[in-house]
Amino acid sequence: MPGPPDSRGPASQLVFESGGYSYSIQRALVSHPDYDTLLLSSRQLATGGPFKLVVLKPILLEHGREARTRALEEVRLSKSLGHRNIAPVLGTVAHNEVAYVVMDMANGRFLLSLMDAAVSVNQRLSHDLAAYVAAEVAEALDSAHRAVDEEGHPLHLVHRAVGPLLIRVGYDGRVQLTNFGAAYSELLGRIHTPPGLLRGDPAYIAPEILLGYCKPESGQRDLITPRKLDGRADVFSLGLVLLEMLLARYPLDPPDTVWMDVEKRFPPEVRGERSSPLPLETLANRVLHFGPEELQRATRALPESLQRILSRALRPNPDERYQTAGEMRDELRAFLKRPGQQQPFGAKEAKAEANAVFDQASDLEKLGAYPIVERGILPLPDDLSLEGPDELDD
């Protein structure tokens, strides 16, 4: 079983000092066109002392004031988000023509990596593990949705990008939600989204955000921000993540029905902040058509209690969903404490199941494919190595 990365010895490709700290970038943790580039780095005081593992998210200064301002917004927001299930943001640093958001490194793997590892050995995550992860993320979202600024004013924060590669499952079974860089909030002085840009992850986006483009409301803040946008949008996204964990496949691919009104339902000129596996207008159209009937067909083999939770989380109309992430958390935890359970499923059980999955996936003879995008969590056979050199040019 591979353990946490060791920050004491690996050779560094890029070393620089900023803000009183010395940073040694070890390697890419995640480098994928659908997600932010994340770099694993060690950090220590410039005067010496112990090393700490951190994650650096590059922000290219050549992208101008907007990119820098959004990085600073993410740091400011993090000061209002102190919660054990939310990965801390430590600040920003700069080197040459690149600025970095510095994030705490929780030893573990991304949920996407865990899901891919299970698929690679023909397994599904248990219902309990899926419910536990979703409950912990719902706990994080409930705290974020209730966050206030320095003056005590509600931020009305919406994460907008809840997905499997922004959820981290620690080696100890602890779950953290990461990366609020695409979040909507009423933070004073925040920069507004440019017209025609869909923030967040389009594969997990709530239908009310998409409808903001198709059927704008009177008084709507902007194209991506419906007048009543709130944390219920994140509840929908988390519902899709939970469904994906339980089905071991992305719920909207392939669809049960092919709809022919793509251009009519969603404007094709809108571009996503992140790339998506399907054309944006096609993916958005599937989200807009994913209603109770489609959900019932997808979940018919699941326990009735999980069907009820998913049915409420994935209602197209936010008024019919859980009104807070805390309500979803409570029902998921009730499932984990259902009659017949010797003890509630928690971090200890999550650790054991995740380790068992990766133990099997580490047997390279069983790996027919290797879709995982996170580096360093399993040894790679030579013919499946990720393309491109590991070195980072200074």
Side-chain angles (χ1 to χ4, degrees):
M1 178 72 201
D6 187 346
S7 63
R8 294 172 297 177
S12 301
Q13 287 81 33
L14 174 60
V15 179
F16 65 91
E17 289 189 9
S18 182
Y21 287 94
S22 175
Y23 292 87
S24 299
I25 295 179
Q26 310 294 326
R27 55 177 170 78
L29 177 66
V30 172
S31 184
H32 190 275
D34 292 346
Y35 298 94
D36 293 319
T37 295
L38 300 177
L39 305 173
L40 182 65
S41 175
S42 62
R43 181 176 91 157
Q44 69 175 147
L45 289 170
T47 55
F51 288 91
K52 175 181 176 59
L53 282 176
V54 295
V55 175
L56 303 182
K57 182 172 68 174
I59 307 293
L60 296 180
L61 298 184
E62 66 188 35
H63 288 176
R65 176 178 173 274
E66 180 183 342
R68 295 194 299 272
T69 302
R70 287 203 175 276
L72 293 174
E73 279 182 13
E74 187 174 357
V75 174
R76 286 181 62 200
L77 280 176
S78 72
K79 296 178 181 178
S80 304
L81 299 176
H83 190 278
R84 64 184 181 86
N85 292 114
I86 296 176
V89 176
L90 306 178
T92 59
V93 295
H95 175 69
N96 290 342
E97 293 301 312
V98 181
Y100 301 93
V101 175
V102 185
M103 299 180 287
D104 189 45
M105 170 62 180
N107 286 329
R109 313 101 168 169
F110 289 108
L111 175 59
L112 178 63
S113 300
L114 177 57
M115 292 162 62
D116 281 352
V119 168
S120 72
V121 291
N122 199 30
Q123 280 198 20
R124 291 191 180 192
L125 304 182
S126 72
H127 295 163
D128 284 334
L129 179 57
Y132 166 75
V133 170
E136 294 295 288
V137 176
E139 167 77 14
L141 288 171
D142 187 59
S143 175
H145 295 159
R146 292 184 286 104
V148 297
D149 64 16
E150 298 91 339
E151 305 296 326
H153 301 128
L155 288 172
H156 301 294
L157 186 147
V158 185
H159 188 284
R160 294 198 298 200
V162 176
L165 197 49
L166 295 187
I167 297 168
R168 196 148 182 89
V169 181
Y171 290 113
D172 58 359
R174 179 181 175 187
V175 176
Q176 286 190 317
L177 179 63
T178 72
N179 198 338
F180 282 73
Y184 167 81
S185 76
E186 294 182 5
L187 184 71
L188 185 64
R190 67 178 287 272
I191 190 169
H192 292 284
T193 299
L197 179 66
L198 186 65
R199 289 239 175 254
D201 191 336
Y204 300 91
I205 203 159
E208 60 265 33
I209 296 178
L210 301 174
L211 287 172
Y213 286 107
C214 306
K215 299 177 181 178
E217 301 173 287
S218 175
Q220 187 167 309
R221 300 182 184 101
D222 54 55
L223 280 178
I224 196 176
T225 313
R227 200 161 42 85
K228 296 181 180 179
L229 179 67
D230 57 27
R232 294 173 297 180
D234 289 336
V235 168
F236 184 92
S237 299
L238 180 57
L240 274 182
V241 173
L242 173 60
L243 183 56
E244 184 173 2
M245 284 191 281
L246 293 167
L247 298 181
R249 63 173 176 82
Y250 178 58
L252 305 183
D253 185 25
D256 293 315
T257 307
V258 177
W259 297 285
M260 303 304 295
D261 59 345
V262 171
E263 292 186 2
K264 182 174 66 175
R265 291 292 299 271
F266 192 78
E269 68 271 12
V270 174
R271 61 189 177 89
E273 183 178 35
R274 294 176 177 169
S275 62
S276 56
L278 299 167
L280 183 57
E281 60 272 19
T282 302
L283 183 59
N285 198 50
R286 292 183 183 181
V287 172
L288 292 174
H289 281 88
F290 190 72
E293 292 183 5
E294 289 76 18
L295 180 60
Q296 187 176 18
R297 284 196 293 270
T299 62
R300 55 181 174 261
L302 298 177
E304 187 176 334
S305 52
L306 286 178
Q307 289 184 42
R308 287 197 303 268
I309 291 171
L310 288 164
S311 175
R312 193 168 174 195
L314 290 171
R315 290 282 174 177
N317 183 348
D319 291 337
E320 299 175 0
R321 278 180 222 146
Y322 293 107
Q323 295 304 287
T324 68
E327 291 179 6
M328 184 176 178
R329 171 204 61 208
D330 293 344
E331 291 208 10
L332 286 164
R333 288 181 175 170
F335 170 79
L336 295 170
K337 296 177 182 178
R338 63 194 180 277
Q341 292 284 89
Q342 292 185 345
Q343 63 181 31
F345 191 100
K348 178 181 177 182
E349 291 75 21
K351 171 185 176 181
E353 182 173 339
N355 286 353
V357 168
F358 278 94
D359 277 341
Q360 293 187 55
S362 294
D363 184 347
L364 298 182
E365 292 181 358
K366 296 180 181 178
L367 282 178
Y370 202 92
I372 299 173
V373 298
E374 185 176 356
R375 304 293 301 275
I377 57 170
L378 286 177
L380 284 170
D382 292 340
D383 60 342
L384 293 177
S385 295
L386 296 177
E387 295 181 1
D390 286 340
E391 290 78 12
L392 298 168
D393 295 331
D394 193 344

